[in-house]
Amino acid sequence: MAREVLLFRRAVSKAAATVVTVLLVAVLGPAVDPTPASAAAPPRVEGVLPDGSTYVMDVPANWNGTVLLYSHGYVPDNVANPARNAPSDNVRTALLEAGYAQIGSSYPATGWIVQGALSAQLATLDKFEAQFGPARRTIAWGTSMGGMITTGLAERFSHRFDGTVTMCGLQQGAVANWNNNVDTLFAIRALLAAGSTAPLVRLPGQAAALASTAELTAALDAAQATPQGRARIALAAAFRNIPAWTDPARPEPDADDHDTAQRNQFEALRQFVKTGLTWRQEAEEHAGGNMSWNIGVDYGRIFAHSANRQQVEQLYARSGLSLRDDLAALAAAPRITADPAAVRHMIRNISFTGRLTTPMISIHTTGDPLVPVQAEKAYAEAVSDAGRSRLLRQGYVHRAGHCTFTTGEMLAAVDALDHRISAGQWPDTSPGTLNRLAADLDPTATHAYAPYRPGPYPRPFHLRH
């Protein structure tokens, strides 16, 4: 197997030298690399599943016996949703040159349809095996919501997979995600739009979601003009742990540059309000009601554990406002109840137990404004509670943005998992080793695995509890 890994690294390095490596700047889904696939790429196999999903398969002539099942990220309703089998063209080209087969589906619908995605992905794997025979090794991997789908495959259908790679995934699970989503919206409305009745949940349609978006965005814009408003915006961002550095095209602010950090958080919150409401409405439609609650939630306690606490305290001190009074106002604001049937739907679509039975490596950027890196801590705790920590490794890339991995960083994660499956024990997955491996596989980019320990997720939820 050592010889196979060496050949993999050489082939991927050769392929990487022929394409331009780009950062993936996805929003709840992978960006498509603008570089065209190699002219030598094998012909594709495409088709339609009984549920209406389309699928795509690329199997190289030098297939090494391993198939990678890729799960793509969230696609909003009424947006084109083609089948995808890799996070970028560069990654696909490199893996094909190394002999890996790659498959994936579109899923049967858009929006928050995790159960349908699980079924479509398994059906795609069935189609592959019927046409090409059983793979020697099957690996599931995915980005963003596709990382969540991959984790669902790992926990619920582990007998089909030898291991999994999750990237920038919603590892906190659906219930925790939507609860924290409502926390931030709740704080924006209570602190910045006093007296507003803009609905945050039980949105009857996209028109209602967009109306609430417009009202809360206007409140954010007005608040950004004053020191008091900026302090409150930072507090709302702290409940979601929105990082100080959110755009990879901009320089990282100094640790004590709270003003630049706040401006970055403000811009991230403006985007979050839109997706947090319009995508919520789509999810509620699938769930049949509201899946979130904040009854009994102590926002003072959440703030006390936030990675942004020091920044918020300094901004409040400069503004002349009382942080204690604003936290008290949140405590006194009318709370939101959930619809039990909708919560059950989100447990199925999908929340986690942490009961891994095959190895998983999970990677995340530290400056992710859309799926904050603390989601990794939530899953690590679930896995620890289940007594399965030996099966999980997590890596952190010091970069802003959602899913902004280099080609080499993603390939290094696949390589590390491949080694774990073959050897029965994890290789060195320290940041330095992963960066050296990424540089071997993709010498055209600068790689940024780094030591990092995420703080607690604001609203943890997993099924063992």
Side-chain angles (χ1 to χ4, degrees):
M1 189 62 204
R3 181 176 178 274
E4 289 181 350
V5 172
L6 178 61
L7 290 174
F8 166 59
R9 293 178 181 176
R10 287 177 178 171
V12 172
S13 182
K14 177 183 176 183
T18 67
V19 293
V20 178
T21 300
V22 298
L23 294 178
L24 303 176
V25 286
V27 176
L28 273 186
V32 176
D33 196 327
T35 307
S38 167
R44 292 194 141 190
V45 176
E46 298 178 306
V48 180
L49 298 172
D51 66 3
S53 305
T54 58
Y55 63 86
V56 59
M57 304 177 185
D58 289 313
V59 183
N62 63 330
W63 182 34
N64 62 13
T66 297
V67 60
L68 294 164
L69 174 65
Y70 175 71
S71 296
H72 68 73
Y74 185 87
V75 177
D77 289 345
N78 301 312
V79 173
N81 183 33
R84 305 173 216 179
N85 65 355
S88 75
D89 285 349
N90 282 349
V91 170
R92 181 188 301 106
T93 298
L95 289 171
L96 287 173
E97 295 253 356
Y100 286 81
Q102 296 166 81
I103 64 176
S105 76
S106 64
Y107 317 150
T110 52
W112 197 275
I113 40 77
V114 177
Q115 273 191 311
L118 294 173
S119 298
Q121 291 293 78
L122 292 171
T124 299
L125 182 57
D126 291 339
K127 284 281 187 182
F128 173 83
E129 292 176 345
Q131 184 160 351
F132 297 98
R136 179 173 58 85
R137 179 174 298 163
T138 303
I139 293 172
W141 69 326
T143 46
S144 198
M145 194 178 83
M148 169 186 272
I149 292 164
T150 298
T151 304
L153 292 170
E155 288 200 359
R156 297 186 181 183
F157 304 97
S158 61
H159 62 287
R160 301 293 302 273
F161 302 96
D162 297 285
T164 46
V165 179
T166 70
M167 301 177 286
C168 50
L170 287 87
Q171 299 300 92
Q172 72 273 44
V175 172
N177 172 70
W178 290 112
N179 271 343
N180 188 228
N181 168 290
V182 87
D183 289 336
T184 310
L185 295 170
F186 180 79
I188 291 170
R189 186 178 67 178
L191 297 175
L192 305 178
S196 171
T197 58
L200 307 180
V201 299
R202 300 184 179 91
L203 298 156
Q206 282 293 294
L210 291 170
S212 287
T213 297
E215 188 169 337
L216 296 187
T217 301
L220 278 170
D221 291 344
Q224 185 66 10
T226 69
Q228 294 77 21
R230 290 192 290 272
R232 286 172 167 156
I233 288 172
L235 177 58
F239 293 125
R240 192 168 175 80
N241 283 317
I242 291 178
W245 187 30
T246 59
D247 185 346
R250 299 179 182 176
E252 181 180 10
D254 294 336
D256 59 352
D257 186 356
H258 299 311
D259 293 321
T260 299
Q262 191 277 334
R263 284 195 297 274
N264 291 340
Q265 291 159 349
F266 161 69
E267 292 176 2
L269 275 180
R270 289 186 95 254
Q271 177 64 33
F272 163 77
V273 167
K274 181 178 181 180
T275 57
L277 288 164
T278 58
W279 293 357
R280 167 176 284 279
Q281 189 278 324
E282 293 174 355
E284 287 185 346
E285 190 169 330
H286 286 291
N290 170 41
M291 56 282 191
S292 305
W293 70 91
N294 63 357
I295 299 293
V297 172
D298 184 344
Y299 286 106
R301 183 175 182 179
I302 291 177
F303 172 70
H305 292 92
S306 173
N308 302 5
R309 177 178 175 177
Q310 182 180 12
Q311 174 209 13
V312 173
E313 289 175 340
Q314 292 203 19
L315 289 173
Y316 264 83
R318 285 164 42 186
S319 74
L321 287 176
S322 167
L323 177 57
R324 179 178 296 180
D325 287 350
D326 277 354
L327 289 172
L330 285 176
R335 296 305 176 102
I336 294 169
T337 59
D339 300 320
V343 175
R344 291 193 294 271
H345 175 90
M346 283 300 164
I347 287 173
R348 296 190 300 271
N349 288 273
I350 183 173
S351 294
F352 301 125
T353 66
R355 294 191 185 102
L356 291 175
T357 58
T358 57
M360 171 188 289
I361 186 167
S362 182
I363 65 175
H364 217 111
T365 51
T366 59
D368 190 334
L370 200 58
V371 183
V373 66
Q374 289 78 16
E376 300 293 337
K377 177 70 170 179
Y379 193 65
E381 289 176 350
V383 172
S384 177
D385 287 350
R388 310 295 172 88
S389 294
R390 70 189 183 282
L391 292 171
L392 177 66
R393 290 294 181 272
Q394 294 175 310
Y396 300 98
V397 172
H398 184 68
R399 189 175 296 116
H402 180 57
C403 302
T404 51
F405 305 111
T406 64
T407 296
E409 287 159 358
M410 291 185 281
L411 296 175
V414 173
D415 187 278
L417 178 73
D418 219 344
H419 181 103
R420 169 62 178 80
I421 296 168
S422 298
Q425 60 184 13
W426 286 104
D428 181 2
T429 56
S430 66
T433 298
L434 288 174
N435 283 329
R436 286 190 292 273
L437 178 56
D440 286 344
L441 300 173
D442 174 15
T444 67
T446 300
H447 311 291
Y449 280 104
Y452 188 79
R453 286 189 177 184
Y457 191 75
R459 293 284 296 278
F461 181 96
H462 65 78
L463 295 179
R464 288 181 60 82
H465 287 171

